[in-house]
Amino acid sequence: MVEVGIIGVGVMGAGHARYLTRSVPAARVAGIYDLDRARAEEVAAEVGATVADDPDQLIAGGSLDGVLIASPDATHSGLALACLRAGLPALVEKPLATNPDEARRVVEVEGESRLISVGFMRRFDPQHRALRQAAADGSIGRPLLFRSIHRNPAPPPDLTPRLIVTGSAIHDLDMARWLVGDFEAVRASGRSSGSDGKVDLLLIEGHHAGGALSTIEVFVAAGYGYEVTAELVGTGGVTTTLAGDLTVTRQEGAARTPFPQIWLERFEKAYIAELTAWVRSISGGEPFPGASAADGYADQVVAEAVMEAVATGRRVPVVSLA
Ligand code: ISE
């Protein structure tokens, strides 16, 4: 039994606690920490865990096999470093950090240990995996273009020009890297759909080292629901994700498809597959097949270039330090 501690049990951390408890038989949620003690106690009671007084107590307590970090984004890299100091594997929710310097520090301290994994769950989504397969086996020829549409029903209350990139678009940047390779440069523009002038729609154009292109739409105030659609255009065919679990109801002259309202519904299978693989990497010593700290850093570098491209309107080169 792999004993897991969870730091942060907001929407995502509580989701992970439930997935681990219900759907990953080889793991047990043993300890939980959240700044909001009442919230920690509520989720701990649900999954049979104990509550820690602070994150250090949880990490350095000596009884855990791994830590899942799902606290606010700005705390991710510091907690990842604390796990590295304790020699504990950690699955860090995306983003690994909120800027490239912090992400790079994690990569440097991690060294060869590969203790840090990053929660880019789309890498475990059966539909995105089909695109990856199509890119790898040559069935649609040479990939020319990756297209991603990423819509949320409503923006978070603290939406900023940084958060829409490091909190939302970073998923699509990671997918673009995973499917068509490293970015060479980006262009990007933002629009506001509301009267407050906050940028809630981004359009990103990626130029990739192997010659492929990517276009990414992120719209976090789409209203109708949560939708992620991806497409890979190759020289010999096109593979597009279809939302496999959706239904259509035909009634009164219309066909109606209800959309999920949140990522937990859309990506439930992906989260469970990701957690299962992470737990297996701890118990069986197999390498985690998802995103590494190096990926988390590379994505952060692209995110920074996207922010510069939005602010300046220019084509911005993407340069990672080796
Ligand atoms: C959220 O944090 C997620 O990671 C979701 O997958 C993403 O769609 C959403 O935009 C983020 O706020």
Side-chain angles (χ1 to χ4, degrees), residues 28-255:
R28 188 176 87 84
V29 181
I32 286 181
Y33 169 77
D34 195 289
L35 197 54
D36 178 347
R37 175 124 198 154
R39 172 75 182 161
E41 277 168 5
E42 193 186 318
V43 179
E46 195 185 317
V47 300
T50 55
V51 172
D53 292 331
D54 60 66
D56 293 332
Q57 183 197 22
L58 190 76
I59 293 169
S63 62
L64 295 177
D65 301 307
V67 177
L68 203 156
I69 299 171
S71 45
D73 295 358
T75 64
H76 288 183
S77 63
L79 290 167
L81 290 172
C83 290
L84 287 172
R85 280 194 295 275
L88 272 182
L91 176 59
V92 186
E93 253 310 325
K94 46 58 59 178
L96 174 59
T98 48
N99 62 60
D101 288 347
E102 285 172 8
R104 191 173 160 78
R105 175 92 188 114
V106 176
V107 174
E108 282 166 2
V109 174
E110 178 192 45
E112 297 301 309
S113 72
R114 288 300 311 264
L115 285 173
I116 303 295
S117 306
V118 185
F120 283 108
M121 78 298 187
R122 290 189 196 173
R123 291 181 181 226
F124 293 87
D125 173 52
Q127 292 156 328
H128 285 81
R129 292 185 74 82
L131 262 62
R132 168 102 165 166
Q133 184 62 35
D137 66 16
S139 55
I140 57 164
R142 181 169 48 85
L144 294 170
L145 170 67
F146 166 64
R147 298 199 315 130
S148 186
I149 290 173
H150 178 182
R151 300 192 185 126
N152 293 189
D158 54 345
L159 185 69
T160 59
R162 178 165 285 272
L163 186 61
I164 190 173
V165 181
T166 64
S168 297
I170 198 133
H171 280 292
D172 310 274
L173 301 177
D174 185 67
M175 275 301 97
R177 284 186 49 253
W178 193 59
L179 290 167
V180 293
D182 284 337
F183 281 81
E184 233 170 42
V186 290
R187 288 182 194 277
S189 304
R191 291 289 183 271
S192 174
S193 70
S195 51
D196 59 5
K198 282 189 183 178
V199 168
D200 52 21
L201 184 143
L202 281 182
L203 188 65
I204 303 168
E205 178 185 302
H207 296 243
H208 295 261
L213 295 170
S214 56
T215 60
I216 295 168
E217 173 210 310
V218 179
F219 184 26
V220 295
Y224 67 89
Y226 187 84
E227 184 176 12
V228 172
T229 305
E231 186 165 79
L232 199 56
V233 179
T235 50
V238 176
T239 304
T240 309
T241 65
L242 296 175
D245 295 341
L246 299 188
T247 52
V248 179
T249 299
R250 294 173 178 81
Q251 212 170 34
E252 294 167 0

Side-chain angles (χ1 to χ4, degrees), residues 1-4 16-30 47 65 271-280 283:
M1 195 54 102
V2 171
E3 305 268 310
V4 177
H16 282 310
R18 293 180 187 126
Y19 294 141
L20 280 167
T21 305
R22 294 181 199 150
S23 308
V24 187
R28 188 176 87 84
V29 181
V47 300
D65 301 307
Y271 284 119
I272 293 171
E274 176 182 67
L275 290 167
T276 303
W278 180 61
V279 165
R280 199 178 301 132
S283 59

